Amino acid sequence: MFSRDRWNEIIEALTANWFRTLMTAFGVFWGIFILVILLAAGKGLENGVKRGFGDIATNTMFMWTQTISKPYKGLPKGRRYNYRIGDVAAIKEQVPGLLYVSPRNQLGGFGGSNNVVRGLKTGAFNVYGDYPEIIKQDPIQITSGRFINYGDIDYKRKVAIIGEGVKKELFEPGETVEGKYIKINGVNFMVIGTYKKKSNNGDGEEAQKEIYVPFTTFGQAFNRGDRVGWMAITAQDGTSITSLKQDIFKVIKNRHSIHPDDNRAIGNFDLYQEFSKINKLFIALRGVAYFVGILVLVSGIIGISNIMLIVVKERTKEIGIRRALGATPWSIRGQILLESIFLTIISGMAGIAVSTGVIFGVNKILDQMPTAEDTMFANPSVNLVVIAVALIILIVSGLLAGLIPAQTAIRVKPIDALRTE
């Protein structure tokens, strides 16, 4: 039940020595402030690193061929081999739990150089032969026209989707590119669309200088036959690609007569595994933030407890008079506990408010930075669950901080208290 007299007494007791009260409250204020700022900074770093992955499907593995390191079935070590389009069908059929298996071929980059020509303009770009599913594994934003479809695959259409960087180098500003032709390694392709891509490695400009053509057209135009340069393989939700990796390798080894123990013959990059390592790192960082913040908060709570002990000692005579007039032990205990909780919550809420203001200011600054999308720090924030937990911690801490002083207060005998000068 609300008692105005009691709250007036609490406020009078806390304001009797302003400086001491402020210094005591600062410990709790600083503890909550540090906790919220550390958690927000960790979240900002996590957001920045994860944004570096772009929208790429993280449950994905990229797989390519390497030199065979063990002799097997009469075949020597040191030989090279190529994936075939039949390997793709075999993986889909024999390994359950896969969502996409996308074969890819490439010109340019590590696969060699290539020339792309339009009129008098030339450029060197990465050219990929792909299936339509690749846009779901490594998403790109189609800015005009369309992406590859299965009609292009089935009819081996000589069509291409070019990046905004390719468009800038080969076309005039404002020129419509759909329906125009570019020549890739001497073969004409009609442009059917343009795209913009978020870079996964920080090099945003290079990510826009790529060209996509149908996989079947690529094989025919550049004499690749049914060879596959590498594959992008994505597992279904609820199944990690890491758990399916060995089954995929087994299919490839059986089809290409590779020793079962040859771990060097198949190169791979497991994006899910790398992403999981990053998640574990940020879980550890959150643990450190909680640990440090709570330690600082505990030091503030200890300060409040010590000050409340001093307050109880200063008010010994007052407590004795109240006991002599019939005040119950619970009434005395409740008074001390309320003062402790009130001071703790007020100082803690001030810490939350100031830290929220700091986070808001940092977000404003980040949003105004011209290179905000390329930074490894983005949108530092703390969710409402953390704030709720902080409030619970404050209430419990206030109770603990006032418990010992409250017990000390009710142990004071009225006769002894009245003798105190």
Side-chain angles (χ1 to χ4, degrees):
M1 183 176 178
F2 178 78
S3 172
R4 177 174 293 182
D5 291 339
R6 169 165 289 190
W7 281 104
N8 285 337
E9 186 177 348
I10 289 172
I11 293 172
E12 183 178 345
L14 294 177
T15 56
N17 190 325
W18 272 106
F19 184 76
R20 183 176 68 187
T21 300
L22 287 175
M23 290 298 98
T24 304
F26 183 77
V28 176
F29 166 87
W30 190 245
I32 288 292
F33 178 84
I34 291 295
L35 175 62
V36 174
I37 291 296
L38 284 176
L39 289 173
K43 187 64 176 178
L45 183 60
E46 181 180 355
N47 290 339
V49 171
K50 289 183 176 180
R51 187 172 65 181
F53 283 88
D55 297 321
I56 191 169
T58 53
N59 200 11
T60 297
M61 175 183 70
F62 300 96
M63 187 173 72
W64 58 90
T65 64
Q66 297 184 155
T67 303
I68 292 173
S69 63
K70 292 179 181 290
Y72 187 60
K73 292 184 178 180
L75 298 171
K77 68 177 183 179
R79 62 189 175 93
R80 301 286 300 186
Y81 69 103
N82 293 297
Y83 295 141
R84 301 288 178 177
I85 197 66
D87 296 334
V88 177
I91 291 172
K92 289 180 179 178
E93 181 181 345
Q94 298 179 35
V95 182
L98 295 179
L99 187 61
Y100 306 117
V101 182
S102 299
R104 306 193 77 181
N105 278 320
Q106 180 180 0
L107 288 173
F110 62 81
S113 62
N114 66 281
N115 291 318
V116 180
V117 180
R118 180 178 181 266
L120 299 177
K121 296 183 178 182
T122 63
F125 308 105
N126 284 325
V127 180
Y128 296 102
D130 276 312
Y131 273 77
E133 289 84 359
I134 196 65
I135 197 172
K136 298 176 182 178
Q137 297 170 282
D138 188 8
I140 57 177
Q141 178 187 352
I142 299 298
T143 53
S144 66
R146 64 174 179 85
F147 194 65
I148 299 164
N149 60 35
Y150 269 96
D152 303 325
I153 295 290
D154 295 338
Y155 293 104
K156 300 180 182 179
R157 293 171 181 153
K158 292 185 175 67
V159 294
I161 295 87
I162 64 174
E164 291 290 339
V166 179
K167 175 183 174 181
K168 184 177 179 181
E169 292 195 20
L170 298 183
F171 293 84
E172 297 297 330
E175 183 180 0
T176 301
V177 301
E178 288 83 1
K180 304 293 176 62
Y181 285 85
I182 59 175
K183 189 172 290 187
I184 304 174
N185 275 16
V187 180
N188 283 315
F189 284 80
M190 184 177 72
V191 177
I192 60 170
T194 60
Y195 77 87
K196 186 176 182 180
K197 184 178 183 181
K198 185 180 289 186
S199 172
N200 298 322
N201 57 12
D203 194 348
E205 185 176 351
E206 287 302 312
Q208 318 310 321
K209 294 183 178 180
E210 297 173 347
I211 300 173
Y212 296 89
V213 303
F215 181 87
T216 50
T217 309
F218 188 104
Q220 184 181 64
F222 306 122
N223 198 29
R224 294 295 179 92
D226 66 343
R227 285 179 293 170
V228 174
W230 47 296
M231 302 184 203
I233 305 174
T234 302
Q236 295 175 359
D237 292 342
T239 305
S240 73
I241 191 65
T242 304
S243 65
L244 301 176
K245 193 160 55 174
Q246 294 304 321
D247 293 335
I248 296 169
F249 293 166
K250 185 177 180 180
V251 172
I252 295 297
K253 288 176 180 180
N254 286 337
R255 290 179 59 84
H256 292 273
S257 299
I258 300 171
H259 196 286
D261 298 329
D262 189 346
N263 297 320
R264 297 182 182 179
I266 302 173
N268 73 94
F269 178 74
D270 188 342
L271 190 58
Y272 179 84
Q273 194 172 50
E274 299 303 315
F275 194 75
S276 298
K277 290 178 183 177
I278 291 174
N279 278 334
K280 290 176 182 177
L281 171 64
F282 286 113
I283 290 173
L285 286 178
R286 281 195 294 272
V288 171
Y290 274 113
F291 180 73
V292 172
I294 289 174
L295 282 183
V296 177
L297 182 60
V298 166
S299 66
I301 297 302
I302 292 172
I304 287 182
S305 184
N306 288 334
I307 291 301
M308 294 306 298
L309 283 171
I310 295 173
V311 169
V312 168
K313 186 172 180 62
E314 291 176 345
R315 296 165 63 185
T316 301
K317 191 170 184 176
E318 173 198 330
I319 292 171
I321 294 172
R322 292 179 62 183
R323 292 291 304 276
L325 293 174
T328 63
W330 174 246
S331 175
I332 303 297
R333 184 190 292 116
Q335 180 75 19
I336 302 301
L337 287 175
L338 275 175
E339 291 177 12
S340 175
I341 292 173
F342 181 74
L343 181 58
T344 304
I345 290 179
I346 291 298
S347 53
M349 290 300 293
I352 291 174
V354 173
S355 59
T356 301
V358 170
I359 293 169
F360 178 79
V362 170
N363 275 301
K364 281 288 186 182
I365 294 171
L366 289 174
D367 290 341
Q368 293 172 4
M369 291 175 61
T371 58
E373 290 193 358
D374 296 328
T375 61
M376 296 296 287
F377 192 80
N379 189 28
S381 59
V382 177
N383 61 38
L384 292 177
V385 174
V386 173
I387 300 299
V389 170
L391 289 175
I392 293 171
I393 291 174
L394 288 175
I395 294 171
V396 174
S397 300
L399 285 171
L400 294 176
L403 189 59
I404 295 176
Q407 291 300 115
T408 302
I410 64 174
R411 283 199 296 266
V412 176
K413 297 180 179 179
I415 189 66
D416 294 333
L418 291 173
R419 290 198 188 109
T420 302
E421 295 295 334

